[in-house]
Amino acid sequence: MIAEIEKYIEIQNNIDEILKNSPFKMSYIIEKSGIKKPTFFKKLKEKRFTPEELLVISKTIEPKQWRNETKEEILESLKQTEQDFKNGKGVPGEIVLENMKKRIEKYKEDALRNIWKSATGSTKY
């Protein structure tokens, strides 16, 4: 029980950084929390969300597929994945890797293009 309380305190003390590093926009998190915007920012500044509010915020920024699953949920997910693969619903790892490499290259090109545009003002790269 001590570990859980320490984790709660850690989350409460670092909630601003947690939200900053979240892939979601603050406006979306505020909307899902049900807390009025000025109140949300005051609570964020003072780091005084209630445990219930932190739970709602956590569920918003950490959807089910990202949260820690129970052993039973993991085993069920693995069984379903195995069955899907047997039924031809899977994608071979080589294809996934190739697609990832293509996406990374595109991101690199876009980043270089943006740097070039910022440095020169020109859109031609």
Side-chain angles (χ1 to χ4, degrees), residues 66-103:
W66 296 345
R67 69 172 170 79
N68 291 332
E69 296 175 295
T70 65
K71 180 180 176 183
E72 292 77 22
E73 288 173 324
I74 293 170
L75 290 173
E76 182 60 34
S77 178
L78 289 172
K79 287 178 188 174
Q80 184 62 49
T81 302
E82 186 177 349
Q83 190 61 41
D84 287 347
F85 192 73
K86 286 179 182 176
N87 292 335
K89 293 182 182 177
V91 177
E94 299 81 28
I95 293 173
V96 173
L97 284 174
E98 187 60 36
N99 289 340
M100 288 172 57
K101 287 177 185 177
K102 287 178 185 176
R103 288 179 63 192

Side-chain angles (χ1 to χ4, degrees), residues 1-15 18 54:
M1 185 159 81
I2 293 172
E4 287 84 1
I5 294 170
E6 287 175 341
K7 185 66 176 170
Y8 169 78
I9 292 168
E10 179 185 345
I11 291 168
Q12 184 77 283
N13 289 337
N14 295 306
I15 189 66
I18 293 168
L54 280 178

Side-chain angles (χ1 to χ4, degrees), residues 12-77:
Q12 184 77 283
N13 289 337
N14 295 306
I15 189 66
D16 52 346
E17 283 299 313
I18 293 168
L19 294 178
K20 181 177 143 188
N21 294 324
S22 163
F24 300 99
K25 291 185 177 185
M26 191 65 78
S27 58
Y28 174 77
I29 296 167
I30 293 169
E31 176 188 328
K32 292 296 182 182
S33 75
I35 304 169
K36 293 182 180 178
K37 190 174 182 178
T39 305
F40 187 95
F41 282 110
K42 184 177 181 183
K43 286 180 176 245
L44 183 61
K45 181 180 177 185
E46 296 173 358
K47 297 182 180 184
R48 62 172 187 92
F49 289 102
T50 66
E52 293 79 12
E53 290 167 339
L54 280 178
L55 181 61
V56 171
I57 292 168
S58 296
K59 287 180 177 179
T60 300
I61 65 174
E62 191 177 299
K64 184 178 178 182
Q65 68 265 26
W66 296 345
R67 69 172 170 79
N68 291 332
E69 296 175 295
T70 65
K71 180 180 176 183
E72 292 77 22
E73 288 173 324
I74 293 170
L75 290 173
E76 182 60 34
S77 178

